[in-house]
Amino acid sequence: MKIICVAGARPNFMKIAPLMAAFRASGGLEAFLVHTGQHYDRQMSELFFDQLGIPAPDANLGVGSGSHAVQTAEIMRAFEPIVLEQRPAAVLVVGDVNSTIACGLVAVKLGVKLVHVEAGLRSFDRTMPEEINRLLTDAISDLLFCTEQSGADNLKREGVPAERIFLVGNVMIDTLLRNRDKAAASTILADLKLAERQYAVLTLHRPANVDDPAILGGLLDAIEQIQRRLTVVFPVHPRTRKNLATGPLGKRMEAMGGLRMIPPAGYLDFLRLMSCAAVVLTDSGGIQEETTILKVPCLTLRDTTERPITAEVGSNRIVGTDPVKVLAAFNEVLAGKFPPPQVPPLWDGHAAQRIADILVEKL
Ligand code: UD1
C-alpha cells in the first residue's frame, strides 16, 4: 500500500524521520517521500536528512521561498502530477507549514485519503499563518493523529467524528529519544566554549516577533539584560537574519557581548545545546515540546501556545513578549522556581509505530 509522505520545512523533518522508519519496517506500507523544497539551505534541510537517516526524497519539488500565496500555489501545482502518477492509497502530511495545507488540498481534490500527523493543535490565534494551516488541514483530513488530549478535544468540538481521531503521542519526541545518545557526542559546547547550565539558548523566527520592529525591540530589551547575567546562544533563522541585516536592531545585537549569534544549528548540535542549557527562550512550537522531555525550563516568547500540555505538565511557561514579564520569568528560573516537569502521556518514543499500525488497519 503506497503512501505519499510530505516534508517541506525544517520542523517537518524530525516528524517524518520516524514515520519513514516505521513504514519501512511494517512490511505493508510503501512510503514515497516528497520534499516540497520549502526549505532548501543545507543547514535548514539536507543536514537533517543526513543526521536523522531520512532516505533521499523520491521527488523534490524545489519550490523555495515566496509569499504565502505563491509558495502554496507553486507547491500545489508541482505536487498534483506526482499524486496522479503515483496513485497512492493516501497522502500523509505533518505539522502546520504551508507545505502541509498545499499538499493536503491537492490530495483531497483528487479523491485521495488524507492523513494528518500532529492534528488538532490550536493556538486560537488566527493571525498565525500556522493556525490557518492547522484548521484547514484538519477540516479535510480523513485520519487525524494527535500528540496530546487537547488536540483530540479541539477536533471533536469542531465536529470531526471520533472514529477518525487517534491519540498516539508525539513523533517529534520519537526522534528526540532516538537521537539523544548521538547528540551527547556533539562537540558544540566545546566549540562554543560553553559550560553545562551556564548559558541560555534563544530562538526567534515567528513573523509576529521578528517582522515587527517594536516587538523585536522589546524582546531585545529583555535579552540585553539577560546576556549580562548568562551567555545567550542564538542560532539565527534565515528570516530573522534577513530582518536584522536590514534594520538598526542587528547592530544593537552585535554590540551585546554576552550574545552569541551563530548560523542555524543541525539537529544533533541543537539537541545538545538545549539539553545542557540553563533555560531556553523561544517562539518555536516544537521546542516547547522538546524542552519538556529534556526537563529544561522553557520561556515561550508568545502570548499563546497550541501545545498546552507543555505548560500544564511540562517545563514550559508562556511569557509573551513584554520585556518586564520575560525578565521576571527569567529571574524565577535562576531562582530555581520551576516545578519539575512530567512526561505527557504517550510521549514514549513509539508514536510512529502506533501510526503505522493504525494505517495498516484503516487504509
Ligand atoms: C516556516 C513555517 C513555520 C515554521 C518555520 C520553521 C510556514 C507558513 N511557516 O517559516 O511554521 O516554524 O518554517 O523554520 O510554512 N529561507 C532561507 N533558506 C531556507 C528557507 C527559508 O533563506 O532554506 C528564508 C527566505 O528568505 C524566506 C524566509 O526564510 O523568505 C522564510 O521562509 P518560509 O519557508 O517562507 O517561512 P519560515 O519563516 O521559515
Side-chain angles (χ1 to χ4, degrees):
M1 191 162 38
K2 187 183 281 185
I3 300 185
I4 296 184
C5 298
V6 176
R10 184 172 61 182
N12 291 166
F13 305 137
M14 19 313 199
K15 295 169 196 166
I16 218 73
L19 290 167
M20 295 299 289
F23 292 178
R24 217 178 308 141
S26 79
L29 301 169
E30 182 197 344
F32 182 96
L33 180 60
V34 173
H35 189 326
T36 65
Q38 178 173 345
H39 283 175
Y40 44 84
D41 287 347
R42 175 164 167 77
Q43 288 293 114
M44 298 293 285
S45 173
E46 203 185 324
L47 193 52
F48 289 79
F49 277 72
D50 292 349
Q51 293 191 341
L52 301 179
I54 307 171
D58 298 290
N60 192 325
L61 310 183
V63 165
S65 303
S67 69
H68 283 270
V70 167
Q71 191 174 58
T72 308
E74 290 297 330
I75 295 169
M76 290 180 71
R77 195 145 74 166
F79 188 58
E80 186 177 50
I82 291 177
V83 181
L84 285 170
E85 190 187 291
Q86 296 298 323
R87 309 196 150 278
V91 166
L92 178 148
V93 294
V94 297
D96 55 14
V97 301
N98 285 346
S99 301
T100 308
I101 179 60
C103 294
L105 206 44
V106 168
V108 294
K109 294 255 177 144
L110 292 175
V112 175
K113 282 206 164 61
L114 181 61
V115 178
H116 187 203
V117 173
E118 204 186 85
L121 296 181
R122 297 288 181 266
S123 66
F124 303 101
D125 172 4
R126 291 200 180 195
T127 65
M128 274 181 92
E130 294 82 3
E131 182 74 355
I132 304 299
N133 294 342
R134 289 189 279 259
L135 281 160
L136 296 182
T137 304
D138 288 339
I140 56 174
S141 290
D142 296 282
L143 296 173
L144 301 97
F145 292 104
C146 299
T147 52
E148 58 171 283
Q149 185 60 44
S150 79
D153 295 344
N154 292 331
L155 293 172
K156 278 182 210 148
R157 202 176 322 114
E158 287 167 19
V160 177
E163 62 271 20
R164 293 190 188 179
I165 305 170
F166 303 89
L167 182 60
V168 289
N170 193 325
V171 287
M172 194 172 221
I173 300 307
D174 289 6
T175 295
L176 185 152
L177 296 174
R178 206 160 295 170
N179 287 281
R180 230 173 158 170
D181 291 346
K182 261 197 233 165
S186 152
T187 59
I188 187 84
L189 296 196
D191 296 347
L192 296 175
K193 300 191 173 45
L194 297 167
E196 288 190 27
R197 311 290 164 216
Q198 301 300 314
Y199 65 93
V201 172
L202 170 69
T203 84
L204 282 176
H205 77 282
R206 296 245 157 248
N209 282 345
V210 302
D211 291 359
D212 181 340
I215 301 280
L216 187 55
L219 285 170
L220 291 196
D221 291 343
I223 290 156
E224 195 154 35
Q225 299 295 323
I226 290 170
Q227 54 94 35
R228 291 198 180 130
R229 315 222 342 240
L230 210 55
T231 299
V232 176
V233 182
F234 180 25
V236 188
H237 185 280
R239 172 190 283 279
T240 313
R241 183 167 293 282
K242 225 158 118 185
N243 287 356
L244 291 174
T246 53
L249 296 176
K251 294 237 166 352
R252 203 178 140 197
M253 289 186 104
E254 275 164 28
M256 297 182 197
L259 179 67
R260 310 270 290 274
M261 305 220 275
I262 62 171
Y267 184 78
L268 297 174
D269 283 346
F270 192 68
L271 181 50
R272 177 78 177 147
L273 273 176
M274 281 192 295
S275 311
C276 299
V279 56
V280 175
L281 299 104
T282 189
D283 61 5
S284 154
I287 291 174
Q288 299 170 43
E289 299 181 335
E290 291 168 333
T291 46
T292 286
I293 296 301
L294 296 171
K295 302 189 187 304
V296 172
C298 177
L299 305 182
T300 294
L301 307 172
R302 292 168 41 189
D303 296 324
T304 59
T305 183
E306 59 288 334
R307 294 160 160 91
I309 191 98
T310 60
E312 283 156 21
V313 308
S315 56
N316 185 25
R317 187 86 61 85
I318 314 302
V319 294
T321 53
D322 175 347
V324 175
K325 292 191 178 139
V326 175
L327 274 174
F330 174 75
N331 286 332
E332 282 188 32
V333 172
L334 289 197
K337 286 193 190 152
F338 260 57
Q342 292 156 33
V343 175
L346 300 173
W347 290 20
D348 58 1
H350 301 294
Q353 189 55 54
R354 290 186 193 103
I355 292 171
D357 292 346
I358 294 168
L359 289 180
V360 168
E361 189 197 320
K362 296 283 171 189
L363 286 179

